[in-house]
Amino acid sequence: MGVETLREADDGPRSKRAAILGAAVEHFGEVGFEATKWSEIAKHVGIGQTALYHYFESKAHCLLTVMRIGLHNSDEAFRAATADAPSAHEALRRAVRSAYEISDLEVRQNRILQANIALLVSERSSEREEAERLACRELVARIERNWTELLRQGMDSGEFARRDPQLLARTLLGTIVAVWRWYRPGGETGLEAICELVTHCCVRIVTP
Amino acid sequence: MGVETLREADDGPRSKRAAILGAAVEHFGEVGFEATKWSEIAKHVGIGQTALYHYFESKAHCLLTVMRIGLHNSDEAFRAATADAPSAHEALRRAVRSAYEISDLEVRQNRILQANIALLVSERSSEREEAERLACRELVARIERNWTELLRQGMDSGEFARRDPQLLARTLLGTIVAVWRWYRPGGETGLEAICELVTHCCVRIVTP
């Protein structure tokens, strides 16, 4: 997947929305949400602040949209990867792989998501921000259910050791997403080595 | 450990510093850093804003201080827990346990740390904020070295499977601290059950 993942179904051909989201991912991902000036995004895309506000009513509205798209893509990737898995073990391997077989843009999106996930806790006073926040929360819960279900099936079939599936799902998810805190494309540890180690960890944890 | 962990060596007996830090932990931990008004902290402690600024020049300065104290306590707890361990396996178990045998105040401190860790990435323009940020970064690196060293010793003695010790340390740390994202005291899953599961996960991961 690439930049096109930031284009949503209801964006018209002349919409600047995807370009704004792309610029936001670049800025929020590199210098952080707080340090990014909203006016820099407008400048980067080559539009005025008025046009910018046509698409997003605030920097937080844009951030929450970036987070919601990232969560939506993770959910879709999980479903696509695990749909036809012949066993729970293979579903687990494919699910972990789907979390790391992503573009540099998606790596930045994940970094932004992890760095700002605390934003999802409290209600937003703006209606559009609140709608994106609630959509994010629903997706977080859905992703947790995906993993809980995968683990429960493995336990029911006897492939995985019996444990509290929800607590185990949260633990494995925590292990998988913690990587976005420190991983940088081009650094000394590549995503392939990380994927290999995290897969090993997850398999060892669930195996009876 | 309790509230007294927020009192530092250079706080005089009449200093309001520990009380401010305690109120900050409560507010930042419950409603989040962004949603907390600096004036609420002053009100909670029963001092004026001028007195508040005597101790902390900004809300971010206070937050970074809370984070630095939390990291310092984690580092100390790790060292105390693992110092006399008879084996690498036992050191690992004790290290994990030290991460979860903490007070509700420390749970909130950890939640604040995880929710705001992205703040450590970019330089602060204020000198005092920057000093706390650099101290936090040094502590994060030290904690990572503690874990890397523990794992390396286990690999050298043959107790643990040979792996990249730094990458494995980051992965185990990620698993351990991810809990602070969702755990709430009094919720349906207790810290004891979490500690038991995470210990199991870490042991399974490192065992050859």
Side-chain angles (χ1 to χ4, degrees), chain A residues 30-32 34-35 114-119 121-122 124 144 161 163-164 166-168 170-175 177-179 181-182 184 188-189 193-194 196-198 200-208, chain B residues 30-32 34-35 114-119 121-122 124 144 161 163-164 166-168 170-175 177-179 181-182 184 188-189 193-194 196-198 200-208:
Chain A
E30 290 313 310
V31 301
E34 289 307 324
Q114 293 311 314
N116 297 285
I117 198 119
L119 205 67
V121 174
S122 306
R124 310 295 302 176
E144 197 179 293
R163 286 259 162 198
D164 174 338
Q166 191 193 29
L167 181 55
L168 192 59
R170 285 177 168 173
T171 306
L172 297 190
L173 271 168
T175 308
V177 305
V179 166
R181 291 281 181 76
W182 57 267
R184 292 293 178 277
E188 60 185 292
T189 312
I194 292 168
E196 194 274 318
L197 178 65
V198 175
H200 163 81
C201 292
C202 291
V203 170
R204 286 303 296 266
I205 288 169
V206 301
T207 303
Chain B
E30 290 314 309
V31 301
E34 289 307 322
Q114 293 310 315
N116 297 285
I117 199 121
L119 204 67
V121 173
S122 306
R124 309 295 303 176
E144 198 180 293
R163 286 259 163 197
D164 175 338
Q166 192 193 25
L167 182 55
L168 192 59
R170 285 178 168 172
T171 305
L172 297 191
L173 271 169
T175 308
V177 305
V179 166
R181 290 282 179 77
W182 58 267
R184 293 291 179 278
E188 61 185 291
T189 312
I194 293 168
E196 194 274 319
L197 179 65
V198 175
H200 164 81
C201 291
C202 290
V203 169
R204 287 302 297 264
I205 287 169
V206 302
T207 303

Side-chain angles (χ1 to χ4, degrees), chain B residues 20 55 93 118 130 135 156 170 192 194 200 208:
Chain B
I20 296 166
Y55 296 101
R93 288 176 178 281
E130 181 63 4
D156 288 348
R170 285 178 168 172
E192 232 170 281
I194 293 168
H200 164 81

Side-chain angles (χ1 to χ4, degrees), chain A residues 82-104:
Chain A
T82 57
D84 303 316
S87 67
H89 252 117
E90 184 55 25
L92 178 64
R93 289 176 178 280
R94 291 183 189 180
V96 175
R97 206 184 308 134
S98 80
Y100 295 115
E101 279 187 345
I102 61 178
S103 67
D104 286 359

Side-chain angles (χ1 to χ4, degrees), chain B residues 12-13 15 18 30 45 49 55-56 63-64 68 72 98 103 116 129 133 137 143 151 165 177 182 201 207:
Chain B
S15 172
E30 290 314 309
V45 179
Q49 292 231 32
Y55 296 101
F56 297 103
L63 171 66
L64 286 161
R68 193 252 306 151
H72 172 81
S98 80
S103 68
N116 297 285
E129 288 179 20
R133 185 185 77 93
R137 285 180 68 99
I143 289 167
L151 293 170
V177 305
W182 58 267
C201 291
T207 303

Side-chain angles (χ1 to χ4, degrees), chain A residues 127-145:
Chain A
E127 210 174 296
R128 291 168 76 191
E129 288 179 20
E130 182 63 3
E132 289 290 11
R133 185 185 78 94
L134 292 175
C136 284
R137 285 179 69 99
E138 173 47 36
L139 283 161
V140 167
R142 192 185 299 177
I143 289 167
E144 197 179 293
R145 281 199 303 273

Side-chain angles (χ1 to χ4, degrees), chain B residues 20-39:
Chain B
I20 296 166
L21 289 167
V25 168
E26 213 167 294
H27 284 74
F28 298 162
E30 290 314 309
V31 301
F33 174 69
E34 289 307 322
T36 299
K37 288 201 185 81
W38 201 204
S39 58

